[in-house]
């Protein structure tokens, strides 16, 4: 049985990846941080499955800032594949906590790579790199050879992690790969990220639970795909014979304004009546345009996205409408006595 270790297993990508790997017959291990409240809601359904029910899914306490725990865990598990998805992943927040972002999202990658080397295992390693590394883009569309120009502490940390992965591949012969993933969304996206913030607000407004939505820059252009398809791309990257770097993207770009139009249009509302600007959500340095070319991934991995922009937005709105139709969800918003 192939054994995989996932950092960030409780996040959007980690939960979808756990779904995928368990369906493929893997034994899956995940690292979670100790917290005073449960934060496993995205993977709780896996324990409810009688065919899994903890038999092939195991969670371990750990932290990307603690190298000792990482070395110990990797030495004991000897995983065949390691998917490093854990990070401080909110770009706007990275401006508020830059040192923490650099330590967890950047140096945390070095800690795992060094743990693999110290433990003497031959795990295949996947680094979750980001389109935010391109920042002030030097060419359109962006490919695996486009120079980086990050525009946030998050982007800077991800550039560090990217080159650390390349360096350990070249220096120690590790089968280490970077997946440069452009924006990918789903109903499991965190509610502080702009796409889910919008679809959640659309559902709340439609249900009469919210009346306004505050956003920053509406003209930023992004390449948006569907998260479950992108985690399949991660898996395909680690099935490749050697470590390499791949862009996963749709090769389409859309503004946040377009996202609003489709999301509010899904429930027959005019977004202009509800959306207000708030300077607090503006970044000190903006990334104006991101659009990726996944030609290499299509050629080598036979990977390409199928869910397109409108379908993605509408499925997220539909999911939040269904969620907020449940009394328990409405109670959590503090809208029911």
């Amino acid at each position: 049985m192939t054994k995989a270790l996932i950092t960030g297993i409780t996040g959007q990508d980690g939960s979808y990846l756990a779904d995928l790997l368990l369906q493929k017959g893997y034994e899956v291990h995940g690292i979670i941080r100790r917290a005073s409240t449960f934060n496993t809601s995205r993977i709780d359904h896996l324990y409810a499955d009688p065919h899994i029910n903890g038999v092939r899914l195991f969670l371990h306490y750990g932290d990307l800032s603690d190298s000792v725990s990482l070395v110990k865990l990797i030495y004991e598990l000897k995983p065949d594949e390691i998917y490093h998805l854990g990070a401080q992943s909110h770009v706007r927040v990275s401006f508020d906590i830059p040192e923490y972002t650099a330590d967890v999202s950047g140096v945390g990658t070095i800690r795992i790579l060094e743990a693999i080397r110290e433990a003497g295992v031959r795990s295949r390693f996947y680094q979750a790199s980001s389109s935010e590394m391109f920042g002030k883009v030097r060419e359109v569309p962006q490919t695996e050879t486009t120079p980086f120009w990050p525009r946030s502490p998050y982007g800077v940390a991800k550039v560090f992690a990217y080159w650390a992965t390349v360096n350990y591949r070249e220096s120690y012969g590790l089968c280490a790969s970077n997946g440069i993933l452009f924006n990918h969304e789903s109903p499991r996206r965190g509610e502080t990220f702009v796409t889910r913030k919008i679809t959640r607000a659309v559902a709340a407004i439609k249900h009469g639970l919210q009346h306004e939505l505050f956003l920053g820059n509406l003209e930023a252009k992004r390449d948006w795909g569907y998260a479950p398809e992108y985690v399949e791309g991660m898996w395909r990257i680690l099935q490749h014979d050697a470590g390499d770097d791949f862009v996963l993207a749709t090769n389409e770009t859309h503004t946040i304004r377009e996202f609003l139009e489709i999301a509010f249009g899904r429930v027959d509302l005019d977004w202009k009546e509800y959306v207000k600007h708030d300077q607090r959500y503006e970044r000190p340095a903006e990334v104006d345009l991101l659009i990726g070319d996944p030609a290499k991934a299509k050629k080598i991995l036979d990977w390409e996205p199928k869910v397109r922009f409108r379908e993605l937005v509408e499925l997220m709105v539909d999911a939040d409408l269904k969620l907020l139709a449940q009394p328990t969800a409405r109670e959590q918003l503090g809208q029911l006595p």
Side-chain angles (χ1 to χ4, degrees):
M1 186 181 297
T2 306
K3 187 184 299 183
L5 174 64
I6 304 173
T7 71
I9 193 171
T10 58
Q12 170 190 253
D13 291 3
S15 65
Y16 281 122
L17 182 60
D19 287 341
L20 177 69
L21 296 182
L22 288 168
Q23 289 168 10
K24 291 183 177 295
Y26 278 59
E27 177 180 305
V28 176
H29 296 258
I31 298 177
I32 61 172
R33 287 175 294 174
R34 177 71 178 91
S36 59
T37 57
F38 292 111
N39 60 353
T40 59
S41 59
R42 291 188 182 94
I43 57 173
D44 285 345
H45 66 283
L46 295 174
Y47 286 100
D49 188 330
H51 299 293
I52 300 169
N53 199 27
V55 175
R56 290 191 288 114
L57 176 63
F58 305 89
L59 300 180
H60 308 266
Y61 287 120
D63 198 289
L64 293 174
S65 63
D66 180 8
S67 57
V68 173
S69 66
L70 295 174
V71 172
K72 181 180 179 182
L73 184 60
I74 289 173
Y75 178 78
E76 291 177 350
L77 293 179
K78 295 179 173 56
D80 300 289
E81 299 171 3
I82 297 175
Y83 296 86
H84 178 37
L85 314 182
Q88 190 302 99
S89 58
H90 199 288
V91 178
R92 178 61 189 86
V93 171
S94 76
F95 286 98
D96 300 323
I97 48 173
E99 183 179 344
Y100 175 79
T101 301
D103 184 47
V104 173
S105 304
V107 181
T109 303
I110 280 280
R111 293 188 181 106
I112 294 183
L113 288 165
E114 190 65 8
I116 294 171
R117 193 176 73 86
E118 286 290 327
V121 299
R122 302 303 299 173
S123 307
R124 295 189 174 203
F125 175 78
Y126 172 86
Q127 161 61 19
S129 292
S130 168
S131 59
E132 287 287 334
M133 301 187 304
F134 295 119
K136 191 174 182 178
V137 298
R138 312 315 298 155
E139 63 182 11
V140 177
Q142 294 87 59
T143 71
E144 291 81 3
T145 60
T146 301
F148 301 135
W149 191 330
R151 300 270 283 170
S152 66
Y154 171 80
V156 171
K158 283 294 186 177
V159 170
F160 178 93
Y162 172 93
W163 285 116
T165 301
V166 173
N167 181 257
Y168 271 68
R169 181 170 73 215
E170 295 177 348
S171 300
Y172 303 112
L174 298 186
C175 185
S177 298
N178 284 289
I180 308 173
L181 272 58
F182 282 64
N183 294 62
H184 46 288
E185 318 296 323
S186 76
R188 296 185 193 176
R189 186 58 140 154
E191 294 170 18
T192 61
F193 291 86
V194 66
T195 51
R196 184 72 193 291
K197 185 178 178 180
I198 291 171
T199 61
R200 180 84 162 177
V202 167
I205 290 169
K206 187 64 176 179
H207 284 295
L209 305 174
Q210 186 173 328
H211 306 288
E212 295 177 311
L213 170 61
F214 293 93
L215 296 173
N217 179 18
L218 303 186
E219 305 309 321
K221 295 181 178 180
R222 294 292 185 270
D223 183 324
W224 276 301
Y226 186 40
E229 295 180 341
Y230 283 55
V231 300
E232 182 187 350
M234 298 177 189
W235 175 78
R236 291 191 181 206
I237 287 172
L238 285 202
Q239 309 319 300
H240 188 46
D241 291 337
D244 203 346
D245 309 312
F246 294 91
V247 162
L248 301 186
T250 69
N251 203 24
E252 294 181 12
T253 190
H254 299 274
T255 63
I256 294 173
R257 185 183 298 272
E258 290 177 78
F259 198 105
L260 286 167
E261 291 171 351
I262 295 174
F264 277 86
R266 184 66 168 173
V267 294
D268 299 316
L269 295 176
D270 183 353
W271 69 270
K272 298 184 185 71
E273 296 180 11
Y274 303 95
V275 176
K276 305 290 189 300
H277 180 264
D278 191 328
Q279 184 65 35
R280 291 177 299 173
Y281 298 117
E282 297 276 359
R283 299 182 187 180
E286 182 58 84
V287 173
D288 297 317
L289 167 66
L290 292 174
I291 178 170
D293 180 357
K296 179 179 177 181
K298 182 177 181 179
K299 179 180 179 181
I300 297 177
L301 307 176
D302 194 27
W303 180 91
E304 60 181 328
K306 296 179 177 60
V307 175
R308 293 299 175 176
F309 182 65
R310 176 175 290 277
E311 182 182 356
L312 171 65
V313 178
E314 292 181 346
L315 73 83
M316 290 180 66
V317 171
D318 291 349
D320 275 326
L321 285 168
K322 182 178 180 181
L323 177 66
L324 290 189
Q326 301 173 11
T328 53
R330 294 161 68 99
E331 289 172 3
Q332 289 172 0
L333 288 178
Q335 300 297 331
L336 293 182

